[in-house]
Amino acid sequence: KAGVTQTPRYLIKTRGQQVTLSCSPISGHRSVSWYQQTPGQGLQFLFEYFSETQRNKGNFPGRFSGRQFSNSRSEMNVSTLELGDSALYLCASSYASGQGRHEQYFGPGTRLTVT
Amino acid sequence: DAKTTQPNSMESNEEEPVHLPCNHSTISGTDYIHWYRQLPSQGPEYVIHGLTSNVNNRMASLAIAEDRKSSTLILHRATLRDAAVYYCILRVGGSQGNLIFGKGTKLSVKP
């Protein structure tokens, strides 16, 4: 079974621009979660989507948004990029949602650099 | 906020067992203990999880103290590929299942 894939793997953007990242979960998985990883803050939860609905959200500003399609693929969008948005963005998929999400399978991440 | 305490780093010799400790003194009865690891330049990888009883899988064993205030991840024979940051995560019962990562333990394996 193919793992979680994320595209692109690397991205360089300028302050003020917006960016869209994509995640394809493992086949059969309907839950997709997004995390941000930075050296200072570590890994932080952004949001989770299940069956095209946002189930819960972390403590990030509204510039961070996402969506999920009927095939469970998910996209994450960051508008009005700031230097502090430079990070590794990780997507994780799981079969179940909420409390049932014991095993989350992570992709390799998208490295975003904002200049 | 993360509710676990782990050593910042540990060293092990190849082919020897490794015991990675984790303290979670504020754990409540419905909180699950999860372990993930992150190899260099990769996303985190699920290792194991448990609630009350010790757990074994093909990757590792999880030993949970009787009072559940601490746990130990056991790698039975460390290999060079086990060098990673190991995260002990307390998943709060009744929550939405989000993982709250702490700083983890960086495990180095010497040949």
Side-chain angles (χ1 to χ4, degrees):
Chain A
K1 206 183 255 190
V4 177
T5 58
Q6 293 187 244
T7 57
R9 292 292 312 277
Y10 302 91
L11 204 51
I12 300 175
K13 289 286 189 178
T14 305
R15 268 183 305 175
Q17 289 186 315
Q18 74 166 16
V19 66
T20 299
L21 312 180
S22 181
C23 171
S24 292
I26 291 171
S27 177
H29 285 190
R30 293 194 295 162
S31 169
V32 173
S33 301
W34 288 89
Y35 293 82
Q36 181 197 64
Q37 185 171 30
T38 60
Q41 299 298 318
L43 272 151
Q44 294 183 285
F45 170 76
L46 279 156
F47 30 65
E48 182 213 358
Y49 284 86
F50 182 82
S51 294
E52 302 179 65
T53 302
Q54 188 180 87
R55 295 295 294 263
N56 59 102
K57 192 175 188 299
N59 190 25
F60 277 81
R63 300 185 296 107
F64 292 82
S65 64
R67 60 177 177 168
Q68 186 179 35
F69 302 95
S70 58
N71 62 357
S72 295
R73 189 178 69 85
S74 177
E75 287 182 348
M76 190 192 103
N77 185 275
V78 188
S79 63
T80 319
L81 283 166
E82 300 176 359
L83 294 179
D85 297 333
S86 295
L88 181 67
Y89 289 89
L90 292 154
C91 162
S93 80
S94 60
Y95 178 75
S97 176
Q99 268 291 91
R101 283 188 295 149
H102 288 299
E103 299 180 35
Q104 295 188 34
Y105 296 86
F106 284 79
T110 294
R111 173 74 62 185
L112 171 65
T113 301
V114 182
T115 62
Chain B
D1 291 326
K3 300 179 182 180
T4 62
T5 304
Q6 299 177 254
N8 289 333
S9 62
M10 290 183 65
E11 270 192 0
S12 172
N13 294 317
E14 197 176 11
E15 298 191 4
E16 290 186 357
V18 182
H19 291 234
L20 296 161
C22 181
N23 286 319
H24 28 79
S25 58
T26 61
I27 194 170
S28 68
T30 57
D31 295 350
Y32 282 87
I33 302 157
H34 284 67
W35 284 83
Y36 279 74
R37 71 179 185 181
Q38 188 170 20
L39 280 65
S41 303
Q42 294 188 27
E45 176 185 28
Y46 168 83
V47 177
I48 201 166
H49 78 276
L51 184 60
T52 56
S53 304
N54 294 344
V55 185
N56 300 295
N57 67 19
R58 64 175 180 80
M59 286 183 69
S61 295
L62 176 60
I64 302 173
E66 199 168 328
D67 64 4
R68 299 186 72 234
K69 294 185 185 300
S70 66
S71 61
T72 302
L73 179 71
I74 303 165
L75 306 179
H76 296 286
R77 286 185 65 194
T79 69
L80 296 179
R81 292 186 60 196
D82 290 323
V85 177
Y86 286 79
Y87 297 98
C88 171
I89 301 163
L90 208 59
R91 224 192 61 183
V92 176
S95 73
Q96 290 300 313
N98 306 331
L99 297 175
I100 301 176
F101 288 81
K103 298 206 179 294
T105 296
K106 184 173 184 179
L107 175 66
S108 302
V109 180
K110 295 183 290 184

